[in-house]
Amino acid sequence: MENIVYGTSVTPEEYNRLRMAVGWYELSPRQARDGLAHTPFVACARVDGVCVAMGRALFDFGYTVYLGDVVVDPAWQRRGIGRRIVENLCQAVLDAADPGDTLMFFLSAARGKEPFYEKLGFETNPNATAGSGMRKTVTKA
């Protein structure tokens, strides 16, 4: 059985390697470095020192939390690692909040991954109280 070690740091190179492993586009070295540097909460999973999964939580330290880049190397999927990454991120944010605070966690699930997040308590939009999630991607010329 593998020894999976969970931590809170990822290098820009590991970040990009995981993104590309699941078919996402590669970020420039600056984007990967600065994105991680400005992310208050990172969770990762390592096996034999190799990062096999990661996720990020952007928190305004008010009530809004965005979970981004939850990614598990395909060779390591379906072992509960992604679940643990999301749980670790959510717990880290809750630990930073004050007692009685209500937090709103947002994410944009990759197509077909909605059931994974629903099992963790997230609701698919649209629903009775929320419209469709929306996004806009822009590449600066």
Side-chain angles (χ1 to χ4, degrees):
M1 182 171 188
E2 321 69 36
N3 183 26
I4 301 168
V5 177
Y6 292 88
T8 59
S9 66
V10 175
T11 69
E13 295 78 18
E14 291 170 326
Y15 180 27
N16 258 331
R17 185 190 63 74
L18 286 170
R19 288 178 57 86
M20 292 173 24
V22 296
W24 297 352
Y25 61 87
E26 182 176 13
L27 299 173
S28 73
R30 184 207 54 81
Q31 285 181 295
R33 181 188 66 242
D34 290 355
L36 288 170
H38 291 95
T39 299
F41 302 100
V42 174
C44 71
R46 295 181 185 281
V47 176
D48 296 328
V50 176
C51 184
V52 298
M54 62 137 328
R56 305 184 311 135
L58 304 174
F59 182 33
D60 67 0
F61 292 88
Y63 86 100
T64 303
V65 185
Y66 178 78
L67 295 183
D69 302 318
V70 175
V71 58
V72 179
D73 185 302
W76 291 93
Q77 292 178 4
R78 301 202 149 317
R79 301 176 193 220
I81 297 171
R83 168 183 283 278
R84 179 83 179 269
I85 292 291
V86 172
E87 290 171 345
N88 288 357
L89 289 170
C90 292
Q91 189 59 57
V93 173
L94 285 169
D95 289 346
D98 290 334
D101 283 355
T102 298
L103 305 177
M104 177 102 35
F105 287 82
F106 295 95
L107 61 84
S108 180
R111 184 175 298 276
K113 299 297 183 181
E114 297 89 349
F116 166 79
Y117 292 103
E118 288 170 344
K119 290 177 190 171
L120 294 169
F122 289 84
E123 297 176 331
T124 300
N125 292 345
N127 60 46
T129 60
S132 297
M134 301 177 77
R135 72 179 184 189
K136 179 179 179 180
T137 303
V138 177
T139 301
K140 183 177 176 181

